[in-house]
Amino acid sequence: MGSRTSYLMDSNSFIAPFRNYYAMGHFPSYWGWLKAIIVQPDSRVKVPLAVYEELTLGGDDLSKWTQGNLQGITYDSDTIEVWAKFGEIINYVHNSGCYYGAGKINWDQIGKADPLLIAIAAVKGWQIVTFEQSSGNVSPKNPTKKEPKIPDVARQFGVRCVNLYEVETAFALRV
């Protein structure tokens, strides 16, 4: 990871720590660190508007934290290049032969951040921060009914995925 690399945060990079590792009441320093790397001027860690919107739907403490700490600093990706790439990604999911049934339809939902996240990263040359894991050997010979996974589709578009721990290391900030 180069020092100039920029990162796009997936929703589960907030949700997994919130639910499994860093309860807000017990680890406020973690949440302070996360906020600090996102809100700093010229931050290389971006939260797409679509991810912000997904996170604020829950009505839980994470939703409140997101609204209180990330409102107004999200990355808006409304460009022709991003939406053209978004179309390519949706076409890939529908026509690659790797996904069928409900799995590919899931990515057609309004407000689904995953394809937009990949489109932004592909256009900008950024990396995606996600805890999502590859489905493994998904191919036209081995299709799945399950929802496409960000790492699998991102790979098709030359986008690298990293987890939050790799970002922590890149920024060498202590929690």
Side-chain angles (χ1 to χ4, degrees):
M1 281 185 270
S3 62
R4 296 191 171 275
T5 301
S6 288
Y7 305 92
L8 281 175
M9 300 288 287
D10 180 24
S11 298
N12 76 12
S13 288
F14 295 93
I15 295 168
F18 172 72
R19 289 185 182 160
N20 304 316
Y21 312 114
Y22 300 113
M24 287 184 174
H26 298 294
F27 296 97
S29 62
Y30 171 80
W31 294 98
W33 169 81
L34 187 58
K35 175 184 175 182
I37 66 166
I38 294 169
V39 302
Q40 66 182 311
D42 299 324
S43 177
R44 293 182 291 122
V45 179
K46 317 281 187 197
V47 178
L49 182 58
V51 167
Y52 174 87
E53 290 172 348
E54 279 185 350
L55 293 172
T56 58
L57 293 175
D60 56 11
D61 286 342
L62 179 57
S63 175
K64 292 173 190 163
W65 182 88
T66 301
Q67 291 170 357
N69 292 286
L70 303 181
Q71 188 172 21
I73 60 146
T74 55
Y75 181 76
D76 189 0
S77 56
D78 209 9
T79 69
I80 292 171
E81 295 84 10
V82 167
W83 286 108
K85 188 62 70 178
F86 176 88
E88 289 177 37
I89 291 163
I90 294 299
N91 283 336
Y92 168 78
V93 168
H94 279 276
N95 300 317
S96 67
C98 297
Y99 308 98
Y100 63 99
K104 65 183 178 183
I105 293 170
N106 187 300
W107 276 37
D108 291 340
Q109 295 176 14
I110 293 174
K112 180 71 174 169
D114 296 2
L116 187 55
L117 193 68
I118 297 168
I120 297 167
V123 168
K124 294 289 192 176
W126 295 347
Q127 296 179 15
I128 296 174
V129 181
T130 185
F131 281 114
E132 205 167 276
Q133 297 294 310
S134 170
S135 293
N137 190 20
V138 176
S139 70
K141 292 181 180 182
N142 186 30
T144 182
K145 289 183 188 178
K146 294 180 181 178
E147 177 181 350
K149 298 298 182 188
I150 290 172
D152 297 328
V153 178
R155 186 178 324 108
Q156 297 300 317
F157 290 88
V159 174
R160 183 168 185 251
C161 292
V162 297
N163 65 41
L164 192 57
Y165 304 121
E166 292 173 86
V167 174
E168 287 176 4
T169 302
F171 282 88
L173 294 177
R174 306 223 187 276
V175 273

